[in-house]
């Protein structure tokens, strides 16, 4: 309110015989987003038995022509087929052994770890009254809104991510419910923003994967979770405006804007250290888009 924001437009004059690809290439060059795609890439589970069979593994990698292997399970999150989220020690032992097998089969292969932008594991057994939090029963992964009582339990838990929670318009807190290895898992919906816990945690995870576990980089899921609206704070821009009065009636966070600094910081870390990064969702800023990361949506 009472401030100004300039919208910048670019006009590209093309030859009459030009087509849409000429326009796209002009924009790509102008934005500085021409990056080498080190593909193909694919997910690969660190528990796959083929890792114990060097000849068979080598044949599979040759057939797939892989350039990048995104290795699961997720760090500090989804254990995929195991029944618990791995400790850092368990994770490191597993992925280091898997990476060694993959690199032995193809020395040119880039092996990268997996991290999650917007979900953080909750351990109900470590929270007072955690048994009252929702539990996944059966079926596919689902989402649930905490009741007032459950929200109080979580807020009283002292979890460092309380400043990073995605919060609905009425104050709702959302969790993810799923099962792995026959056991229910629980995760909290969070979003990185300057100075909050998830902002620092993502960088710490990236450093652990690359500097401690010795991987070639990382894959990051839901990097720009643009489908969220969070009312826990304001990004300084996004608002609902009454079309009759012109007054601001609600302010909130749009993830395409909120967390820009987090994303640029991670992409810059990759560039500065000669690492490999693959991200789900496209860039929402020229600054991040100009850094050499491979993206899909």
């Amino acid at each position: 309110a009472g401030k100004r924001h300039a919208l910048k437009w670019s006009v590209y004059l093309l030859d009459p015989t030009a087509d849409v690809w000429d326009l796209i290439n002009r924009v790509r060059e102008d934005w500085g987003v021409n990056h080498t795609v080190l593909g193909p890439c694919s997910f690969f589970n660190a528990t796959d038995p083929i890792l114990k069979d060097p000849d068979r593994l080598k044949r599979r990698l040759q057939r797939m022509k892989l350039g990048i292997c995104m290795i699961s399970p997720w760090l500090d999150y989804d254990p995929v087929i195991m029944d618990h989220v791995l400790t850092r020690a368990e994770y490191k032992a597993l992925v280091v052994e898997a990476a060694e097998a993959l690199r032995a089969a193809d020395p040119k292969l880039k092996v990268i770890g997996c991290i999650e932008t917007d979900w953080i594991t909750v351990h109900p057994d470590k929270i007072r009254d955690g048994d009252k939090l929702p539990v996944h029963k059966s079926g596919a992964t689902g989402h649930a809104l905490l009741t007032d009582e459950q929200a109080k339990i979580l807020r009283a838990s002292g979890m460092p991510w309380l400043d990073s929670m995605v919060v609905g318009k009425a104050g709702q807190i959302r969790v993810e419910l799923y099962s792995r290895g026959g056991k229910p898992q629980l995760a909290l919906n969070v979003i990185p923003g300057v100075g909050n816990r998830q902002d620092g945690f993502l960088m710490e995870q990236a450093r652990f994967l690359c500097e401690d576990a010795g991987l070639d980089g990382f894959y990051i899921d839901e990097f720009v979770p643009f489908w969220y609206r969070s009312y826990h704070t304001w990004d300084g821009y996004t608002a609902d405006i009454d079309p009759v009065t012109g007054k601001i009636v609600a302010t909130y966070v749009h993830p395409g804007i909120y967390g820009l600094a987090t994303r640029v910081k991670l992409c810059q870390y990759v560039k500065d250290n000669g690492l490999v990064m693959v991200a789900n969702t496209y860039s929402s800023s020229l600054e991040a888009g100009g850094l050499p990361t491979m993206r899909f949506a």
Side-chain angles (χ1 to χ4, degrees):
K3 295 184 179 179
R4 301 174 68 88
H5 181 71
L7 300 178
K8 180 181 177 181
W9 295 81
S10 298
V11 177
Y12 293 89
L13 303 180
L14 302 174
D15 188 276
T17 60
D19 61 16
V20 65
W21 300 110
D22 293 303
L23 172 62
I24 288 173
N25 284 330
R26 282 278 301 276
V27 174
R28 285 169 57 188
E29 291 164 8
D30 189 28
W31 288 2
V33 295
N34 288 329
H35 308 308
T36 302
V37 178
L38 306 173
C41 64
S42 181
F43 290 98
F44 207 102
N45 198 300
T47 61
D48 193 321
I50 198 174
L51 292 168
K52 305 292 185 181
D53 189 337
D55 292 337
R56 185 167 160 243
L57 176 62
K58 188 172 184 178
R59 290 196 300 273
R60 179 187 287 186
L61 293 177
Q62 288 174 340
R63 184 173 67 252
M64 296 177 74
K65 295 181 172 60
L66 277 191
I68 301 174
C69 177
M70 302 178 288
I71 198 162
S72 60
W74 262 243
L75 177 63
D76 305 316
Y77 177 58
D78 190 346
V80 185
I81 65 171
M82 289 169 279
D83 65 1
H84 69 285
V85 174
L86 302 187
T87 66
R88 288 288 179 93
E90 289 174 322
Y91 177 91
K92 181 178 177 180
L94 182 67
V95 300
V96 165
E97 183 179 4
E100 287 175 353
L102 288 161
R103 289 164 174 160
D106 183 357
K108 298 188 298 297
L109 184 66
K110 300 295 185 181
V111 183
I112 64 177
C114 294
I115 55 179
E116 188 73 24
T117 302
D118 53 339
W119 297 101
I120 193 72
T121 297
V122 176
H123 298 279
D125 57 320
K126 298 179 181 178
I127 296 175
R128 183 176 180 180
D129 294 326
D131 58 327
K132 296 179 181 178
L133 295 175
V135 178
H136 185 251
K137 301 299 183 182
S138 62
T141 296
H143 298 152
L145 296 178
L146 298 185
T147 65
D148 289 344
E149 179 188 14
Q150 291 168 338
K152 287 180 181 178
I153 292 170
L154 193 67
R155 290 186 185 278
S157 69
M159 278 187 68
W161 284 272
L162 298 180
D163 66 349
S164 309
M165 294 189 299
V166 173
V167 178
K169 196 170 187 177
Q172 313 98 312
I173 298 172
R174 183 165 56 171
V175 294
E176 182 181 54
L177 305 173
Y178 64 105
S179 291
R180 294 291 186 263
K183 292 189 177 181
Q185 315 289 329
L186 181 65
L188 175 66
N189 197 184
V190 296
I191 186 171
V194 175
N196 73 8
R197 171 57 175 159
Q198 189 62 359
D199 170 51
F201 187 66
L202 289 174
M203 178 57 74
E204 189 269 324
Q205 285 185 306
R207 291 186 180 279
F208 175 82
L209 290 172
C210 303
E211 299 172 25
D212 199 342
L215 299 181
D216 298 307
F218 55 91
Y219 163 75
I220 186 162
D221 201 31
E222 302 187 342
F223 199 32
V224 187
F226 54 83
W227 47 92
Y228 295 139
R229 301 292 181 270
S230 183
Y231 293 81
H232 73 290
T233 187
W234 187 38
D235 60 26
Y237 296 94
T238 312
D240 290 335
I241 299 174
D242 187 313
V244 176
T245 66
K247 292 184 177 180
I248 295 174
V249 295
T251 58
Y252 47 93
V253 160
H254 187 296
I257 297 172
Y258 193 67
L260 279 175
T262 302
R263 294 192 286 274
V264 169
K265 182 168 56 178
L266 284 164
C267 295
Q268 190 67 52
Y269 169 73
V270 168
K271 180 181 180 181
D272 291 346
N273 292 278
L275 301 168
V276 173
M277 178 177 172
V278 179
N280 180 7
T281 67
Y282 295 125
S283 175
S284 61
S285 72
L286 287 177
E287 190 175 4
L291 293 165
T293 59
M294 288 160 283
R295 309 180 76 124
F296 66 88

